[in-house]
Amino acid sequence: MDASISWNFPPVTLFLNCMCTFVLNLSVFLVISRTSALTARVTGVVRDWSVVLLSAAIFADTKLTFINIVGYAIAIVGVVAYNNHKLKPQVNQQQGADSKVSPGSPRHVEIPLNSTKESS
């Protein structure tokens, strides 16, 4: 840092940056506590994609090489494959649980269609 340049930090900008950092840390905490650390890593990868793609779209001097594009494509395929692999057992378990409803279980409810009382 050059000692001859004076630094000017506007309090509003500093406060907004602090709030953005706080919200980011809070969201990471909530994602990890509600799901898992691996999910937080996957969302971090998705966030990185969006930052790179937005910067390439907004700033004209950003150059994406063929290797960059191939790397992002591999990462996208990996995330999609992971999500399919993770969600498939949950769907199979749900379908299996629906087909294994036995009489007397909480899901098995019989509703009489004709409820007639015999009058004396």
Side-chain angles (χ1 to χ4, degrees), residues 39-56:
T39 304
R41 296 289 294 172
V42 170
T43 55
V45 169
V46 173
R47 185 186 66 220
D48 291 343
W49 297 338
S50 39
V51 166
V52 168
L53 293 177
L54 281 174
S55 68

Side-chain angles (χ1 to χ4, degrees), residues 39-108:
T39 304
R41 296 289 294 172
V42 170
T43 55
V45 169
V46 173
R47 185 186 66 220
D48 291 343
W49 297 338
S50 39
V51 166
V52 168
L53 293 177
L54 281 174
S55 68
I58 292 172
F59 303 111
D61 61 346
T62 304
K63 302 289 184 202
L64 291 177
T65 64
F66 178 73
I67 297 294
N68 295 124
I69 294 170
V70 168
Y72 285 118
I74 290 171
I76 290 170
V77 168
V79 168
V80 169
Y82 167 75
N83 285 334
N84 285 336
H85 177 71
K86 185 176 179 181
L87 293 178
K88 216 177 249 188
Q90 292 176 353
V91 171
N92 290 339
Q93 287 175 356
Q94 177 125 14
Q95 289 173 351
D98 289 341
S99 65
K100 294 180 184 178
V101 175
S102 60
S105 70
R107 286 182 155 184
H108 185 280

Side-chain angles (χ1 to χ4, degrees), residues 11-60:
V12 173
T13 305
L14 186 62
F15 177 74
L16 290 175
N17 284 333
C18 291
M19 289 306 296
C20 286
T21 304
F22 174 74
V23 169
L24 176 66
N25 287 331
L26 184 64
S27 66
V28 168
F29 168 76
L30 290 174
V31 165
I32 291 174
S33 66
R34 303 268 187 222
T35 58
S36 68
L38 183 59
T39 304
R41 296 289 294 172
V42 170
T43 55
V45 169
V46 173
R47 185 186 66 220
D48 291 343
W49 297 338
S50 39
V51 166
V52 168
L53 293 177
L54 281 174
S55 68
I58 292 172
F59 303 111

